[in-house]
Amino acid sequence: RIPPIYIITPTYARPNQKVDLTTRLSHALQLARGIHWIVVEDSDHKTTLVANLLSRTSLPYTHLHIPTPDHMKRQPHEEFGAKPRGVLQRNEGLRWLREELLSRNNRDGFLYFADDDNGYDLELFDEIRTIKNAGVWPVAFAGGVMVEKPLLKNGKVVGWDVAFEPKREFAVDMAGFAVSVKLLMDRPEARFDFDQPPGHQETYFLKSLGLKKRNMEPKAKNCTQVLVWHTKTKEPILILEKILNQIGKQTDKGMEV
Ligand code: UDP
Ligand code: MN
């Protein structure tokens, strides 16, 4: 039996939601073995769209929801990095996971945060399963560069080869680390904080687990390999749909897209 990897995915409604969650993320996770998928909708209810796609997977999964209040969402006039995204949802996933493991008296496995629009190589999950406490690896297309990666010296993380704020204790994207469930349970207060700006959520969480960068175990061939890509799916162009909607027509009426 292989140890489980609990994967927390925040997700919100948009035209690309189903195709991202299904064809990119769920298909990858179903090939990966040993995954328990925790999907947390940014919504005041569980949608049938997400319930349907989850029920079609062969994965053990948990379907949760928690809405981000309007005042915590980025407003159209605010700049791109104004507010962090997915914070309440990741914390809700953590709450469920800790409760579940406590009730089962179980501390086996790993935790990884997989946003719903990234690209994941299957080898990433094998790397995660070699972690003792906390692992770290390169992430492509994050922080405005081709690849952000840890800087190693004698096999230890001593800094970050990144362009955006390299002095952070953890200059790593959400997709660039995973931790053991044991560590998560040893630090029951560790979580994300909405008051931390985007780009500082990771540092806040990893520090709250009592970690320093030198504690991070380098994965993906000593951080020389890219196994995850911080992609962003292009929004489809729906200008004519909007015009149709104004005259009472809707091309996806009665259909799930
Ligand atoms: N997300 C969310 N609610 C929002 C915006 C984003 O739950 O209002 C989720 C989204 O589905 C993704 C994660 O939070 O899993 C990060 O968001 P996104 O990919 O848009 O941000 P990025 O870090 O790529 O800029
Ligand atoms: Mn993203």
Side-chain angles (χ1 to χ4, degrees):
R1 204 189 65 82
I2 54 169
I5 303 175
Y6 297 95
I7 295 193
I8 295 181
T9 299
T11 187
Y12 71 108
R14 60 192 186 280
N16 277 319
Q17 183 182 33
K18 183 179 180 181
V19 64
D20 277 358
L21 279 173
T22 306
T23 66
R24 209 194 315 241
L25 195 43
S26 94
H27 290 177
L29 298 182
Q30 285 174 87
L31 288 170
R33 300 176 313 128
I35 304 290
H36 182 118
W37 197 16
I38 304 167
V39 177
V40 191
E41 289 196 69
D42 186 348
S43 166
D44 60 10
H45 64 285
K46 294 187 210 177
T47 65
T48 52
L49 183 143
V50 172
N52 284 347
L53 74 89
L54 284 173
S55 72
R56 284 173 60 214
T57 73
S58 60
L59 295 164
Y61 65 83
T62 301
H63 186 183
L64 305 170
H65 72 94
I66 184 169
T68 305
D70 277 341
H71 71 273
M72 294 167 81
K73 287 190 186 145
R74 181 162 57 93
Q75 306 302 315
H77 67 270
E78 289 183 306
E79 84 262 30
F80 189 73
K83 297 217 171 81
R85 325 182 84 184
V87 173
L88 299 184
Q89 292 71 33
R90 291 188 195 96
N91 281 345
E92 173 66 4
L94 289 173
R95 182 200 62 72
W96 179 86
L97 180 56
R98 286 194 173 104
E99 236 177 72
E100 170 74 10
L101 294 166
L102 267 181
S103 75
R104 296 208 320 250
N105 196 18
N106 181 305
R107 295 183 151 221
D108 188 29
F110 308 91
L111 163 68
Y112 181 55
F113 297 101
D115 286 354
D116 62 0
D117 61 344
N118 295 337
Y120 304 89
D121 191 300
L122 289 180
E123 281 178 30
L124 177 64
F125 305 104
D126 296 329
E127 290 291 301
I128 290 175
R129 272 186 257 270
T130 67
I131 289 171
K132 289 193 194 75
N133 285 301
V136 71
W137 50 80
V139 180
F141 313 151
V145 293
M146 277 297 281
V147 56
E148 287 193 332
K149 52 191 172 302
L151 259 176
L152 305 189
K153 200 174 169 187
N154 301 323
K156 293 268 181 216
V157 178
V158 295
W160 308 94
D161 183 9
V162 303
F164 174 71
E165 296 189 24
K167 295 293 176 209
R168 289 173 287 166
E169 181 67 24
F170 296 98
V172 62
D173 186 76
M174 204 61 74
F177 67 88
V179 300
S180 73
V181 155
K182 182 180 175 304
L183 181 58
L184 187 76
M185 300 306 278
D186 283 344
R187 295 278 179 158
E189 296 303 315
R191 56 176 181 83
F192 296 94
D193 176 9
F194 183 78
D195 292 331
Q196 304 297 316
H200 292 260
Q201 291 292 326
E202 297 84 351
T203 280
Y204 182 88
F205 178 71
L206 289 165
K207 278 185 183 168
S208 71
L209 284 170
L211 294 165
K212 295 262 199 292
K213 57 176 164 282
R214 65 168 182 277
N215 304 131
M216 302 301 282
E217 301 147 46
K219 298 297 177 189
K221 298 207 161 58
N222 263 325
C223 297
T224 61
Q225 247 187 337
V226 169
L227 297 178
V228 57
W229 293 259
H230 187 260
T231 43
K232 285 176 182 292
T233 310
K234 186 184 175 298
E235 238 191 273
I237 296 161
L238 300 172
I239 27 176
L240 295 183
E241 183 72 35
K242 281 180 191 125
I243 292 169
L244 287 178
N245 292 172
Q246 282 163 12
I247 58 168
K249 291 195 181 163
Q250 188 189 340
T251 63
D252 59 331
K253 199 168 165 51
M255 293 174 91
E256 193 185 87
V257 181

